[in-house]
Amino acid sequence: MTAPVELAPSPSARRPTRQGLSRLIIADRRAAWAFLAPMMLVIAAVALWPLGRTFFFSITDAFLDDPRNYSIVGIANFLEILDDRSWWVAVRNTLTFTVISVSLETGLGLAIALLVNQAIPGRGLVRAAVLVPWSIPVVVSAKIWEWMLNDQFGIINTLLVGIGVLDKGVAWTANDGLIMGVVIFIDVWMTTPFMVLLILAGLQMIPGELFEAAEVDGIPAWKRFWSITLPLLRPALGVAILFRVLDALRMFDLAYVLSASNENIMTVSIYARDRLISFQELGTGSAASSLVFLLVALIAILLMGLLRLDRAAGA
């Protein structure tokens, strides 16, 4: 007697039913929430809670020495800051620093990335040397340059006087007309390697066959750069610019270490710190911090739309 042969289920029998699909979708969503829950709890603890407390204190008249004793004052703190001349000086300084430093870093970063992307002798050494300024902490870099720019003992003044450019040493960090240029110069020196890294990563994602085909067709180098390199590099370039703009808008440590009391380089972050720590004004300092957050968020949204980063990510 032969054993009964088991027939394979027909394709229609293997196809999941609508009810089965619904269960799978629900199970996937539950699994996604289960994986996301720890991260969302951490974000709520380290970001949303402090941000919410800052917004809350911004509508109070609390002081830092007794934060539990306060009254609700509404938007009075915001109106006080917007009527303060020092706030608008800080906004002007922050925007000036951001526009000039990020523009210089983008141009230099693009030029250096194009250079080290070529098969030149010692390319590995050049890449390592470019990273040195990026690896030094901001405070250390600021103190190094402060000593190098010292009007009496600094090597920069010694060299400039030695070759006859200057008659005597210049107090670069104590001169109101020079301090912004000094801060921008040091920031460009420190953070251009960051731009180089991101732009170089974008360059290496571009297929080399495109350049070979364009070269065979006799397309000039400048046109290959304009028509192939720049369009395909736009997502990486946009991300690099966005990161640097956000970082420059929050700039605090470099200007504070070089000359904390100089109003010509006072940024919005330094202004908020002074109101909160130096003047012990928890309510007004929180309002200034909230304005800094809103300013950075607004510029980030405008920049993402301008650079079309969302469309680039989708493509």
Side-chain angles (χ1 to χ4, degrees), residues 93-289:
N93 292 340
T94 304
L95 296 179
T96 302
F97 169 80
T98 301
V99 171
I100 297 178
S101 63
V102 174
S103 299
L104 293 174
E105 290 159 12
T106 304
L108 289 173
L110 180 59
I112 297 173
L114 289 172
L115 176 65
V116 298
N117 193 43
Q118 303 297 319
I120 58 174
R123 183 173 60 174
L125 184 62
V126 173
R127 288 183 178 180
V130 165
L131 291 177
V132 171
W134 176 250
S135 63
I136 302 175
V138 176
V139 175
V140 177
S141 296
K143 298 306 289 185
I144 289 174
W145 278 103
E146 187 179 17
W147 273 104
M148 292 175 66
L149 294 170
N150 186 278
D151 56 337
Q152 296 182 7
F153 313 108
I155 189 173
I156 303 296
N157 280 311
T158 302
L159 290 175
L160 293 177
V161 172
I163 62 176
V165 176
L166 297 175
D167 295 330
K168 59 180 181 179
V170 176
W172 300 92
T173 58
N175 190 312
D176 291 345
L178 298 175
I179 186 63
M180 177 59 79
V182 171
V183 173
I184 291 174
F185 171 79
I186 298 175
D187 187 74
V188 170
W189 178 80
M190 287 191 307
T191 54
T192 296
F194 175 79
M195 302 293 281
V196 174
L197 283 178
L198 291 186
I199 296 173
L200 184 61
L203 284 173
Q204 294 184 345
M205 294 293 291
I206 301 176
E209 294 81 5
L210 292 176
F211 298 103
E212 294 172 1
E215 194 171 356
V216 169
D217 291 340
I219 298 176
W222 69 268
K223 199 168 185 179
R224 294 199 299 270
F225 172 76
W226 188 258
S227 303
I228 299 176
T229 304
L230 273 185
L232 295 178
L233 194 59
R234 184 170 59 85
L237 202 57
V239 171
I241 292 173
L242 178 64
F243 282 1
R244 276 303 303 140
V245 166
L246 297 183
D247 201 26
L249 289 172
R250 301 190 305 262
M251 198 272 287
F252 172 82
D253 40 11
L254 177 58
Y256 194 79
V257 171
L258 280 180
S259 185
S261 60
N262 195 327
E263 194 180 55
N264 292 285
I265 56 168
M266 181 178 63
T267 62
V268 289
S269 297
I270 295 178
Y271 177 90
R273 184 265 172 202
D274 287 345
R275 298 300 295 260
L276 184 63
I277 304 299
S278 299
F279 303 149
Q280 298 283 300
E281 298 172 337
L282 180 57
T284 311
S286 298
S289 301

Side-chain angles (χ1 to χ4, degrees), residues 8-32:
S10 64
S12 59
R14 290 198 301 265
R15 188 179 304 140
T17 62
R18 180 174 298 178
Q19 190 176 5
L21 282 175
S22 300
R23 291 199 192 97
L24 287 175
I25 292 173
I26 293 173
D28 286 345
R29 289 178 178 173
R30 286 176 179 172

Side-chain angles (χ1 to χ4, degrees), residues 41-60 78 250 276 282-283 285-297:
L41 289 175
V42 171
I43 291 177
V46 302
L48 296 182
W49 172 250
L51 189 62
R53 292 280 291 177
T54 302
F55 278 122
F56 171 75
F57 278 116
S58 68
I59 59 172
T60 69
F78 293 94
R250 301 190 305 262
L276 184 63
L282 180 57
S286 298
S289 301
S290 301
L291 287 176
V292 173
F293 171 78
L294 295 175
L295 175 68
V296 173

